[in-house]
Amino acid sequence: MAVNDFRTDTTGRDGYIQSFETTNGGKSGDLISKRLELGGLKVGLLATGYFEFFRMYEGLGDLVKRNMDHIADCISPYCDLVYPGFIQTLDESNDAGMLFAKENVDCIIIAEGTYTTDYLVHQALLHVQKSVPVLLFASQESKNINWEEGYAGACRNSGPMGIVQVGCGLHKMERFMPYEVVVGCVDDPEVLDDLKCWLKVQKTIRDLHYWNIGLIGHIFRGMYDFQYDKTDITGKLGPHIMDVDIKHLRTCFDELADDDPRIIEMVKDAKEKYEIIDGLQDSDLQRAAKLGVALSMVIERYKLDGLALLGQHFIEPEFKTTTYLGLANILEKDEAIAVTEGDVLGLIICKIMKDMSGGITPFFGEWEEIDKDMNAVCYLGHGFIDPRSARKDRKIRLGCACEEWGWEGKAPGLEGTFPPGPVTMAHIICIHGEWQMFIAEGTIPDTPQLEVAESTCIVKVDKPVREFYKHVIEAGFAHHSICCPAAIGKEMRMYAKQIGVKV
């Protein structure tokens, strides 16, 4: 084989394939050069009915088919649906399974319009790998018992019986575990919400396997609770973690002229959007904006979906400013999800909660003090917040960052909080090889802004706050808490169940 056969159209030395570490954003051998377009979640719907009933009761088959087609119509707006039609025979079931395999569906929903013998379901499942997630929909036509309709009506609402049988079979075969279950009427809005919830969870599980995290720096020294195993994270949660040397950030920073339009625009936007305090000058904002644009360049150059970095004694002394103005801009523009202190697991939880909430960027905070009279916990931030998630009736204050780790002059930090309403808190940790997730729900009360030159989130909890805080410590959770201003506890618990994480 000729030496030239090993050459490509890379930007590397003499055309040879090189690592991203040296190509500085050029095509490399160890980095995907373009962002992947995954598209919608591809969902197979296996909808069955028992042919024996249809010969006994005229018109029953058509009614059941309409019910199953209705399920397809309800879920199709929320996924890329693969629906082979209403299944009555083993041949049709076999063809459906082959179609699911050909289309490489991400997951399968199984619904029965009447009780159906379970071999019909298992024949279709033979064609797909047992790692494909499955939801069993115990569906019926009416939400209540019809006292006068007779046995034909009972047949039309007998799907749950068949789903019980399928579930037992899957347990005995140890296949397609853990499956999810939804029970109820095909027209019940709560049922559709449960189905949509599962679809969101499955899309996030799929997408995380294609998620790239860039880590600039390392975990803050002494924070043993955030230490992790990269292989374990990729194997359990999906994302890939790549170390981005600070020299790559420095390269981007040095490429920027001070009058770069992106820098000017970020400064202008900050002055219009935020209440500037503490005597911050344009020069302070400009240096922070320059670092912010450099961070955006790193994200684009290395096709990152998530960014974890260390500011303290690392980035701040190198660039003489904070990352907070830039991180807020990155979050607001959906360029990536970003956190500090090297908390990669917290970053992944931010992604999950943002997906489950329909696009609300969570608050990256840490456990702070309690308020006994209000029965609330105060979560303290890390200098930044997504402006879209903050209260709209008061301006975010942009002042001098409350912690100085090596910056010069004055460096900006954001002081903001969240609107009153429901909130969900979560984090994930692996202890002695067992993955565990903390999930709690509460309420954000209407309070004054806590003037600590930092972003905050105050959360009222249901159980006595002293007991609540004690339980968190006894359970051994990390000192960060990701707070999303939305009621998504159900979605988070379903996510944890689907990937086999203890809640």
Side-chain angles (χ1 to χ4, degrees), residues 358-370:
I360 301 173
T361 304
F363 176 69
F364 178 66
E366 54 194 2
W367 295 88
E368 189 65 20
E369 59 194 293
I370 67 170

Side-chain angles (χ1 to χ4, degrees), residues 261-415:
R262 293 168 292 181
I263 298 173
I264 295 172
E265 178 61 30
M266 194 182 301
V267 172
K268 177 175 178 290
D269 183 62
K271 292 168 70 174
E272 292 174 352
K273 183 182 305 173
Y274 305 129
E275 179 186 350
I276 309 296
I277 59 172
D278 295 339
L280 283 178
Q281 302 298 311
D282 282 3
S283 56
D284 302 319
L285 298 178
Q286 182 174 354
R287 187 163 187 86
K290 185 174 182 178
L291 178 55
V293 173
L295 288 169
S296 293
M297 291 171 64
V298 168
I299 289 168
E300 176 55 34
R301 185 164 289 185
Y302 301 110
K303 305 300 180 286
L304 302 178
D305 304 291
L307 177 66
L309 51 82
L310 178 66
Q312 299 101 320
H313 289 324
F314 191 72
I315 289 179
E316 290 186 17
E318 175 71 18
F319 296 94
K320 310 303 181 186
T321 187
T322 56
T323 60
Y324 307 141
L325 182 63
L327 293 181
N329 187 71
I330 287 167
L331 292 177
E332 185 178 22
K333 293 184 176 179
D334 287 319
E335 294 177 6
I337 298 176
V339 300
T340 57
E341 295 189 341
D343 185 5
V344 167
L345 289 172
L347 174 66
I348 295 170
I349 291 296
C350 284
K351 152 70 173 171
I352 297 166
M353 298 187 88
K354 185 173 182 179
D355 284 358
M356 297 304 106
S357 65
I360 301 173
T361 304
F363 176 69
F364 178 66
E366 54 194 2
W367 295 88
E368 189 65 20
E369 59 194 293
I370 67 170
D371 186 303
K372 187 176 179 182
D373 290 344
M374 193 165 45
N375 204 59
V377 178
C378 173
Y379 297 100
L380 202 60
H382 293 80
F384 63 98
I385 189 174
D386 185 340
R388 298 172 300 177
S389 302
R391 289 186 69 143
K392 300 297 186 288
D393 59 339
R394 58 176 73 147
K395 266 194 169 185
I396 294 174
R397 290 152 64 95
L398 187 65
C400 193
C402 55
E403 294 183 356
E404 187 271 299
W405 293 93
W407 41 265
E408 296 177 354
K410 293 183 177 182
L414 280 69
E415 181 185 281

Side-chain angles (χ1 to χ4, degrees), residues 119-194:
Y119 59 76
L120 217 65
V121 170
H122 291 293
Q123 184 65 34
L125 294 180
L126 285 175
H127 296 278
V128 296
Q129 296 185 13
K130 63 180 181 180
S131 58
V132 173
V134 165
L135 179 141
L136 304 181
F137 181 13
S139 66
Q140 57 191 59
E141 183 182 62
S142 56
K143 63 181 180 180
N144 299 316
I145 298 170
N146 189 317
W147 300 95
E148 289 94 26
E149 197 168 20
Y151 197 75
C155 288
R156 199 161 70 249
N157 279 331
S158 65
M161 183 208 318
I163 292 297
V164 170
Q165 186 176 19
V166 170
C168 180
L170 294 180
H171 270 278
K172 293 176 72 173
M173 297 175 189
E174 296 185 332
R175 302 183 71 219
F176 301 98
M177 305 291 289
Y179 55 76
E180 190 56 59
V181 178
V182 173
V183 179
C185 172
V186 295
D187 271 331
D188 189 339
E190 292 181 2
V191 166
L192 180 58
D193 285 344
D194 288 345

